[in-house]
Structure formats: C-alpha cells, structure tokens
C-alpha cells in the first residue's frame, strides 16, 4: 500500500526523520511507536503531504505511484486520510457538520453548484446522508446534531476518525488515537480500528498506549531520534533490547 525508501525530514540541524525505510501492507494495521520526539508525527506529516521530505521516496498503491512531496490536498484526494495528535474540530459546529468537512476533497458541485443550486442541494443531501453513515460507523449517530465542543474528549477523537473516513480513504493514518481516552474508551477504539480494517481500509497508527499497539497491530516500526531502530511483529518488538533501551534508557 505504501513504501518509504530512505525518507528524511530535516529542520535545519534537527534530523527529525533520518533515512527511514518502511512498508505498510495493504489490509493490515501497522503501528509506528517510539519515545517522545522520535519523529513519528514528522513521518506521518511527510506521508500526508504536510511538508515534503528532505530526501527519499514515498510510493503509494499497487501501481507504486510516486507521491513524494505531493501537496496534502492532492494526497487526500488520492486516498490517504489522517487524524492529528490533538483534536482539530470546529467546537461550535455540530458533530455532523464537522464530519461533512471530510467530504470536501471529493465534492463535485464546486463552481457549477454555485450557479446551479439544484446540483448543490442534491450533493448536500448526499453528503449529509454519507456523513450520518460515517457517524453510525464510529458509534456516534445519536450525537450528530450536538455541538462538537460539547462532547467528551474521547468522543471528539471518534468524530475526527469519522471525518477522516468521510474522505473514503484506502489508507488511514491515525496519530495517537487513544490519547486522552480512558481504558473502556480505548477498548472500544481497538474494536473500531479492527472494524475499519475489515471495511477494506488499511490502517497505520502512531500510539503510545502499548495495550492498543499490542492489541491491534500486525506489524510495528520503532523510531528513536529520527531513525528506525527496529521492526517486526508486536510481541518480538516489545522484547527487543534496542526498544527497551530507547524507552527506558537501559538495555534488558
Ligand atoms: P511525540 O511522541 O512527542 O509526539 P514524535 O515522535 O511525533 O513525538 P515529532 O513531533 O515528529 O516526534 O518530532 C521529532 C523532532 O522534530 C523533535 O525534536 C521536534 O522538536 C522536531 N520537529 C518537529 N516538527 C518540527 C518543525 N516544524 N520545526 C522544527 N523542528 C521540528
């Protein structure tokens, strides 16, 4: 689904990501873990087109289409959606309106809709229905008409996932989806992540909650100081002395 070769992102002298190779398998759930400042979000930012990598290549899909340095709005249209580490909802808009924003890369009426109101009205109805389906998928259909800012934090995170799904992604990048969730919310999140995968969306997630990482992922990449230090099945990676050292500052 996605192949990164020698991807780096440097900010002046800071090597936030340095020569990382990794592959995200289609239909799987891949986790990217590592201590604070390891370069995980920077890696997702490079993939999703927030900023171009300093070097390396990023290829997407069966055709291996080169998406290196392609801007974020085009990446979204190609089928890569993401959520962010901190919630980015419009607090005063309803939950449904926040989700409807996620359809933007795929709307068609555009300028024609402005001069042909019927076209715009039909598209608006379709988007509303599709938005409600996304909310139902994440278990929030009952909250559709509430202001997003009034929801508990864990539920706001689910609204963001619904919004990302609205773009009909082939690949969904989740940046710390369990942050701020209590144990029962993160349990439900794990079920949701599995359900997303079974709906034919490949998932990659950054996560600090090891219960979530171990519970859902098929494969794990570990970054430290911008470099990939280890990769493998979750159980193997958890026992690797390089990983233990990166997290705890001491070998096994
Ligand atoms: P965390 O788990 O704390 O979110 P992370 O693994 O996601 O950390 P990044 O946010 O990718 O780490 O940051 C990696 C390094 O790059 C850090 O030293 C950070 O300060 C630096 N960095 C990230 N973005 C920028 C930027 N826009 N300009 C300068 N330095 C940056």
């Amino acid at each position: 689904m996605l192949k990164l070769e020698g991807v780096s992102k440097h900010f002046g002298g800071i090597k936030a990501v340095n020569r990382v190779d990794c592959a995200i398998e289609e239909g799987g759930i891949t986790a990217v873990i590592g201590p604070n400042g390891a370069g995980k979000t920077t890696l997702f930012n490079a993939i999703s087109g927030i900023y171009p990598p300093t070097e390396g290549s990023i290829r997407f899909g069966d055709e291996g289409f080169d998406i290196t340095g392609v801007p974020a709005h085009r990446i979204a249209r190609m089928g890569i959606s993401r959520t962010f580490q901190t919630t980015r909802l419009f607090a005063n808009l309803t939950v449904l309106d926040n989700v409807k924003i996620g359809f933007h890369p795929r709307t068609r009426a555009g300028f024609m809709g402005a001069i042909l109101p019927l076209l715009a009205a039909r598209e608006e109805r379709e988007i509303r229905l599709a938005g409600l389906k996304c909310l139902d998928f994440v278990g929030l259909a009952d909250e559709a008409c509430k202001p997003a800012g009034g929801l508990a934090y864990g539920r706001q995170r689910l609204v963001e996932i619904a919004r990302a799904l609205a773009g009909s992604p082939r690949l969904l990048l989740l940046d710390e989806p369990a942050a701020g969730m209590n144990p029962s919310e993160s349990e439900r999140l794990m079920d949701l992540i599995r359900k997303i995968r079974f709906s034919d969306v490949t998932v990659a997630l950054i996560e600090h909650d090891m219960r979530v990482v171990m519970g859902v992922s098929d494969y794990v990449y570990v970054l430290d100081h911008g470099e990939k230090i280890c990769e493998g099945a979750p159980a193997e990676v958890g026992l690797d002395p390089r990983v233990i050292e990166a997290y705890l500052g001491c070998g096994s």
Side-chain angles (χ1 to χ4, degrees):
M1 176 62 75
L2 194 78
K3 190 162 190 199
L4 277 67
E5 282 180 340
V7 169
S8 300
K9 180 66 192 175
H10 299 169
F11 298 103
I14 299 171
K15 296 182 175 177
V17 171
N18 201 33
R19 297 187 177 170
V20 168
D21 295 323
C22 67
I24 294 174
E25 291 296 325
E26 182 162 11
I29 300 175
T30 304
V32 180
I33 66 169
N36 291 331
K40 306 176 296 293
T41 296
T42 303
L43 193 69
F44 271 23
N45 285 342
I47 295 168
S48 57
I50 304 285
Y51 29 59
T54 308
E55 61 180 351
S57 79
I58 307 175
R59 294 183 174 275
F60 176 54
D62 305 333
E63 317 78 23
F65 196 73
D66 188 354
I67 60 163
T68 320
V70 170
H73 65 283
R74 283 189 50 213
I75 299 260
R77 231 180 276 146
M78 285 173 184
I80 301 180
S81 291
R82 70 170 293 176
T83 63
F84 291 87
Q85 204 168 358
T86 49
T87 54
R88 294 191 175 190
L89 295 177
F90 294 96
N92 296 328
L93 293 185
T94 66
V95 166
L96 179 58
D97 282 340
N98 270 281
V99 173
K100 280 160 65 181
I101 292 164
F103 290 97
H104 181 67
R106 293 181 179 265
T107 48
R108 299 176 309 270
F111 174 70
M112 287 307 285
I115 50 175
L116 295 172
L118 275 178
L119 189 66
R122 194 180 66 195
E123 186 165 68
E124 171 62 24
R125 275 197 304 278
E126 288 169 3
I127 288 174
R128 187 184 153 75
L129 267 180
L132 287 168
K133 268 193 197 161
C134 291
L135 281 173
D136 189 42
F137 187 87
V138 303
L140 289 182
D142 293 344
E143 318 273 15
C145 298
K146 295 183 182 163
L151 260 54
Y153 188 73
R155 303 202 125 211
Q156 293 190 21
R157 309 238 59 185
L158 297 181
V159 177
E160 296 200 302
I161 295 178
R163 182 168 62 190
L165 290 172
S168 299
R170 291 169 63 198
L171 172 62
L172 176 65
L173 308 174
L174 300 172
D175 194 345
E176 293 192 36
M181 288 191 173
N182 63 38
S184 68
E185 286 172 330
S186 63
E187 200 66 49
R188 283 200 296 275
L189 173 74
M190 288 196 266
D191 289 340
L192 175 62
I193 292 172
R194 294 184 193 106
K195 189 167 133 187
I196 292 171
R197 180 252 290 273
F198 286 121
S199 68
D200 272 346
V201 178
T202 301
V203 178
L205 70 148
I206 294 171
E207 192 46 72
H208 282 293
D209 183 333
M210 283 304 142
R211 215 167 50 97
V212 174
V213 172
M214 296 296 162
V216 298
S217 46
D218 308 308
Y219 204 78
V220 181
Y221 288 97
V222 189
L223 300 186
D224 189 26
H225 296 296
E227 314 231 337
K228 182 181 72 180
I229 57 165
C230 179
E231 66 179 278
E236 289 166 21
V237 159
L239 296 174
D240 191 297
R242 290 165 299 181
V243 178
I244 295 167
E245 174 155 3
Y247 274 93
L248 303 177
C250 59
S252 58

